[in-house]
Amino acid sequence: MRAPLALLLLPAPALAQEEVVVLGTPLRAPPGSPAYGAVTIARERLRDEASGRVENALRDVAGFQQFRRSDSRSANPSAQGVTLRALGGNATSRALVLLDGVPIADPFFGYIPFSALVPDSLAQVRITRGAGTGPFGAGAVAGVIELESAGRADLDSVSGAAEGGSSNSLRLTATTAPGLGRGFAVLGGRWERSDGFFTTPPEQRAPATARAAYEDWSASARAVTPLGPRTELQGRLTLFRDDRTLRFQGATSFAEGQDASVRVLHRGRWQVDAIAYLQARDFGNRVISATSFRLTLDQRHTPATGYGGKLELRPPVGRDHLLRIGFDLRGAEGQLYEDAYAASGAVTARRTAGGGTLTLGGYAEDDWTLGALVLTGGVRLDRWTISGGYFREQGITDTRFPAREGTELTGRAGLLWRVASPLAVRAAGYTGFRLPTLNELYRPFVVFPVTTRANPDLAPERLRGGELGLELTAGPLRAGLTGFYNRLEGAIGNVTLSPTLRERRNLPAIATRGIEANFSVVRGPWSLTASYAYSDARVEAPGTALDRRRPAQSPVHAASATLGWARAGWGLSTTLRHLGAQFEDDLESDRLPPANTIDAVAHVPITRGVSLVLRGENLADARVVTRNSGGSIDLGTPRVLWLGVRVGR
């Protein structure tokens, strides 16, 4: 029977020792993963989210957030950083996002290119909250989001969809999965465009106010082929381009990328997971004055290169142990090129800035299964460098910043104890760190009327935390409750210096404590899932105006619930989300009020393999404030209706 449309927020079960090998899938997940409260979003839910966008499906896990409440259709691309547990404060990702084991964050900014992610190409997403060890764990201070590509078993030989929606919106998606010798290939892509909606409320619009129009496309090719009875080669190439208009005519932005990776998996007695990747990215942004409505800043290009890889070994140390030993490398290099303009149109400044970062780490982690008890623990040692930093303004300054380096030791430990059916107890403690991005170090930006300065002296962020959880499984009912405490020392935030000036600085600490709950039940064709997060985050900066204030963009409450029904190709689901109140700035002067949204999706079979799809976003047309700068407001997605046809499963 086809799985229900609703999201199943279930703790990942400890896997049996014998692995069922499916070509194109990763090595089996460590049995200790449930100790850290991993949550899985199924393929059906990813494809049937009302907006058709991965970032909005991730909002089903309460506590997940982007810097802004907007999705990748109406936010500036550089604001698409993701975090968990209200560890907000700026637009850089504090969660590590992996696609088939490869980091996908922009090497200069740290944002996630969500418009390049096509839900139809994914098998599932696993979200683990709390600092991570393991591969590439140096950036996982808030958690890890692992996206896994769909394999041949998930895909038809040819599938696709064509949809039209409000504001002259169009979206085309296509996927094919042909055989490739003894392996297979997956070719897919998506193109979409829209006239968009007005992010500016009616009372604040001017003749130059523009809709948030967008056009983006992405194309990917993934090939999987066996190199032997226990060895396989996976390769991926992704190309994407994203163009948007933000608030005013001429206020455009673009983001583009070309990503390539190769992965070798060996499933013998000594299991091996080896990855190498290369990213070529670019970003541009034009800032229009809110008073003269003329171009004031043209951030023409921000070319950046990301590169890295990992080698992980899993030696045979007994059926009760899963030991992972590995090394990884992550590097980023980038520059910005921008011109400032006077109201007359004359160029008043030409600036360039940039630099590079490099992290080399080694890790070891072991999961030990003792009947109903699973113990897990790991340690990482990282050596990092920040080098080549400079800021140059033509005819005024040419500043070179000294290179810096350091060493970080981090780790985590946890346990999962299945006390007795249906109850399990889990506990975990962890530390982690994140290196500042090139954007935070070297790139200033303007969101009129506020200018935010970069800071080349930023130090790494360091997190310490722990959690305790209960998991209940009784037939079709699953429920979980987690209490946590996380303390992020040296948190990088946009600190207010005056009403029109901010600067990125290391705060003494952000401490957040809270509760996370999830629930799901399936009965026949019906399913109900729900998730709630209470996150009390506070800045700790004694003697300053920031002390005990909530970090910017950090809600206390977040909740999501989905009710679904599916039978014989027919399907209906509806999702209710609550967005808690939060503040735009660090001084809590500009409040973003809470909002509730309702989405719905319906599937109506037309003939074998063809169905009619109806989607509705924000059906009650709730007012969702996404930015409030001294009363200058931006709004999120209003009511949007979609109608389309899907071919294939």
Side-chain angles (χ1 to χ4, degrees), residues 581-606:
Q582 59 195 62
F583 291 100
E584 174 74 24
D585 63 322
D586 55 335
L587 295 179
E588 299 183 348
S589 57
D590 295 319
R591 182 174 181 266
L592 308 182
N596 299 308
T597 61
I598 301 174
D599 300 335
V601 177
H603 291 262
V604 179
I606 299 175

Side-chain angles (χ1 to χ4, degrees), residues 57 69 75 87 226 239 327 375 394 408 475 478 517 523 526 549 574 646:
R69 292 169 165 183
L87 292 172
L239 310 175
F327 302 90
L375 302 176
Q394 186 175 337
E408 301 287 337
R478 305 286 181 94
R523 187 174 182 84
W526 292 94
R549 295 187 186 273
T574 182
R646 175 181 289 177

Side-chain angles (χ1 to χ4, degrees), residues 161-503:
E163 298 174 282
S166 306
S167 302
N168 293 320
S169 301
L170 294 173
R171 180 163 56 215
L172 302 175
T173 305
T175 305
T176 181
L180 185 67
R182 293 179 297 158
F184 66 91
V186 178
L187 307 175
R190 180 175 67 181
W191 170 84
E192 57 185 352
R193 57 88 52 207
S194 175
D195 291 345
F197 60 92
F198 284 109
T199 60
T200 307
E203 65 274 13
Q204 296 184 1
R205 292 176 194 167
T209 300
R211 292 175 175 268
Y214 65 88
E215 181 175 8
D216 62 71
W217 61 267
S218 67
S220 65
R222 180 173 181 247
V224 179
T225 185
L227 301 179
R230 297 179 180 272
T231 307
E232 67 182 72
L233 174 67
Q234 302 178 10
R236 172 186 290 277
L237 176 65
T238 301
L239 310 175
F240 66 89
R241 169 85 184 197
D242 184 335
D243 292 275
R244 309 179 195 176
T245 299
L246 305 172
R247 196 174 175 88
F248 296 116
Q249 296 172 19
T252 58
S253 69
F254 78 87
E256 64 181 20
Q258 303 87 41
D259 295 2
S261 64
V262 62
R263 187 178 197 178
V264 176
L265 295 176
H266 177 66
R267 306 177 192 270
R269 292 187 68 248
W270 280 76
Q271 295 190 357
V272 179
D273 186 356
I275 290 175
Y277 71 89
L278 180 65
Q279 302 167 326
R281 304 282 182 86
D282 199 0
F283 168 83
N285 186 55
R286 293 167 63 88
V287 179
I288 301 297
S289 168
T291 54
S292 68
F293 306 113
R294 294 179 180 272
L295 179 66
T296 60
L297 186 66
D298 185 3
Q299 296 168 327
R300 295 180 285 114
H301 290 286
T302 315
T305 302
Y307 57 92
K310 78 161 186 178
L311 174 62
E312 179 177 292
L313 305 176
R314 298 185 177 187
V317 291
R319 293 177 59 85
D320 296 334
H321 287 269
L322 177 58
L323 175 63
R324 300 185 296 154
I325 302 171
F327 302 90
D328 58 58
L329 173 75
R330 293 182 69 182
E333 299 175 353
Q335 301 83 36
L336 68 88
Y337 299 90
E338 67 177 30
D339 300 331
Y341 289 83
S344 64
V347 176
T348 58
R350 296 191 186 278
R351 308 183 190 103
T352 62
T357 61
L358 184 67
T359 304
L360 175 63
Y363 62 92
E365 192 157 13
D366 183 57
D367 295 343
W368 186 11
T369 303
L370 297 166
L373 178 66
V374 179
L375 302 176
T376 178
V379 64
R380 271 191 71 96
L381 181 65
D382 286 279
R383 183 69 175 174
W384 59 265
T385 61
I386 299 174
S387 61
Y390 72 94
F391 181 86
R392 182 181 303 121
E393 187 166 346
Q394 186 175 337
I396 298 177
T397 183
D398 188 351
T399 304
R400 304 282 175 165
F401 305 112
R404 294 182 285 148
E405 58 185 18
T407 302
E408 301 287 337
L409 180 65
T410 58
R412 67 177 181 175
L415 66 85
L416 176 71
W417 179 27
R418 304 188 186 281
V419 180
S421 180
L423 182 65
V425 177
R426 62 179 188 83
Y430 34 74
T431 63
F433 88 101
R434 181 183 73 85
L435 209 60
T437 63
L438 300 174
N439 175 57
E440 293 168 317
L441 291 164
Y442 306 122
R443 175 184 172 263
F445 69 95
V446 177
V447 179
F448 189 86
V450 179
T451 297
T452 300
R453 296 192 308 213
N455 185 348
D457 297 321
L458 290 172
E461 299 178 335
R462 299 175 177 88
L463 183 136
R464 294 180 291 116
E467 58 192 72
L468 179 66
L470 299 175
E471 305 289 347
L472 180 67
T473 304
L477 185 148
R478 305 286 181 94
L481 182 66
T482 301
F484 67 88
Y485 174 79
N486 285 182
R487 178 183 170 85
L488 185 64
E489 298 177 349
I492 299 172
N494 299 329
V495 177
T496 298
L497 306 180
S498 75
T500 60
L501 181 63
R502 295 175 186 162
E503 183 179 68

Side-chain angles (χ1 to χ4, degrees), residues 6-88:
L7 167 66
L8 298 181
L9 296 178
L10 308 180
L15 299 180
Q17 295 295 325
E18 293 298 327
E19 180 181 7
V20 177
V21 177
V22 179
L23 194 66
T25 60
L27 300 178
R28 72 181 178 96
S33 294
Y36 304 107
V39 173
T40 299
I41 300 178
R43 172 174 168 80
E44 289 79 9
R45 175 56 183 163
L46 292 170
R47 300 176 72 214
D48 291 324
E49 205 283 327
S51 67
R53 313 193 75 80
V54 171
E55 65 267 34
N56 289 331
L58 296 178
R59 296 179 193 272
D60 287 356
V61 179
F64 167 89
Q65 67 176 107
Q66 295 180 257
F67 180 66
R68 299 273 180 210
R69 292 169 165 183
S70 307
D71 63 27
S72 58
R73 293 170 293 186
S74 60
N76 189 292
S78 63
Q80 290 176 194
V82 300
T83 191
L84 300 160
R85 291 182 169 168
L87 292 172

